[in-house]
Amino acid sequence: MQEIDFSQARREGKGFVFPGEFEVTAMGDAQADLKARVPQILADLGLHVLHETVRHKHSREGKFLSVTVSFRCDTREQYDAAHAALRADPDIRFTL
């Protein structure tokens, strides 16, 4: 796989800028209390969760739930760790 060069985007002020405020959406089982678990997983990593931004949406048939929350992090590694920790939860199918 070819490595992607983001240096031009950084010079032009595009892409991720750290430290910063980011949004993540986790989707999973509607019965798993993800509205509380997603922010808690992020907080357990030491990230500053913006609790007032938490929102959720049920799937058409109600089997799944998406939870979106904003958080602050200082580095790309923290951002990647947030996604990894959410994906490690057995009730979360994927993150965006």
Side-chain angles (χ1 to χ4, degrees):
M1 182 187 305
Q2 183 177 352
E3 185 76 22
I4 298 173
D5 180 12
F6 291 105
S7 59
Q8 182 177 354
R10 284 188 201 106
R11 285 191 301 272
E12 294 173 2
K14 298 176 182 174
F16 291 100
V17 178
F18 294 94
E21 189 174 298
F22 303 92
E23 183 175 87
V24 65
T25 299
M27 298 177 195
D29 182 7
Q31 303 302 316
D33 193 26
L34 295 180
K35 290 184 282 187
R37 284 171 60 188
V38 169
Q40 187 60 52
I41 290 168
L42 297 174
D44 289 348
L45 291 173
L47 299 172
H48 179 83
V49 177
L50 304 172
H51 292 279
E52 66 277 7
T53 68
V54 176
R55 60 189 191 277
H56 66 280
K57 183 178 179 181
H58 287 274
S59 66
R60 186 180 347 206
E61 295 179 17
K63 289 183 177 182
F64 301 100
L65 181 73
S66 67
V67 177
T68 302
V69 62
S70 294
F71 62 97
R72 292 189 187 120
C73 64
D74 296 327
T75 66
R76 178 64 189 228
E77 291 76 21
Q78 286 178 319
Y79 177 85
D80 291 340
H83 279 272
L86 291 168
R87 285 190 213 114
D89 187 290
D91 292 313
I92 294 176
R93 303 274 177 127
F94 59 92
T95 63
L96 302 171

